[in-house]
Amino acid sequence: MTKRSQAVITTAEERPRDGWNDPVHGRISWHTLLSSDITPTDSMSAGIAELGPGDELKPHRHDPSEIYFIVEGSGIVRIDGEETTVRAGTTVFIPGNAEHGIRNESGAILKFFYVFPTGSFADVVYRFPEN
């Protein structure tokens, strides 16, 4: 019998904070909200990420496409070398394998909701350029 997805209602406060703080990845934290390894869901994974003032998720690639929805603050998204200013209310579609990153050049927190079309966030393999 195939396990069926279930409805899930959750908050960031209910999920552990994860993140990176190093020269390769940059400085970013996130809460994985939906992922088949932690919730009874499939086909999509999602979470909410936060960049403090001056923080950055360094340019990287991964196979699945991704969506960012800017919830709070403003920043600069770079996709395949093109930079665009984003602010609360902006939606960004990032094609699979496009090199992309996001940085916060403001003095306030930048929060964004992200979604991948894969059941488990663990299936998303981040590939960063060699230093």
Side-chain angles (χ1 to χ4, degrees):
M1 177 187 265
T2 303
K3 188 176 173 182
R4 190 176 151 193
S5 277
Q6 299 175 21
V8 174
I9 299 172
T10 190
T11 66
E13 292 77 22
E14 296 173 334
R15 303 291 175 200
R17 182 181 296 270
D18 203 350
W20 291 315
N21 183 10
D22 62 67
V24 173
H25 303 100
R27 181 179 169 103
I28 184 170
S29 66
W30 66 86
H31 297 271
T32 302
L33 300 172
L34 303 171
S35 181
S36 62
D37 56 332
I38 60 170
T39 56
T41 56
D42 66 9
S43 67
M44 290 190 295
S45 55
I48 190 146
E50 186 174 301
L51 294 166
D55 291 349
E56 172 182 24
L57 172 57
K58 298 279 189 174
H60 62 281
R61 298 175 189 271
H62 40 68
D63 290 340
S65 55
E66 184 175 14
I67 293 172
Y68 290 171
F69 178 78
I70 310 303
V71 176
E72 179 181 321
S74 63
I76 307 293
V77 169
R78 181 179 180 173
I79 304 172
D80 287 335
E82 185 174 328
E83 294 191 343
T84 303
T85 300
V86 294
R87 59 188 52 83
T90 303
T91 301
V92 179
F93 174 78
I94 304 161
N97 287 308
E99 185 178 65
H100 62 285
I102 184 169
R103 68 183 185 273
N104 181 356
E105 294 182 345
S106 78
I109 298 292
L110 168 61
K111 287 186 182 181
F112 62 98
F113 180 72
Y114 60 86
V115 180
F116 291 103
T118 185
S120 175
F121 180 65
D123 292 341
V124 180
V125 177
Y126 284 71
R127 299 184 315 271
F128 290 84
E130 297 292 323
N131 285 347

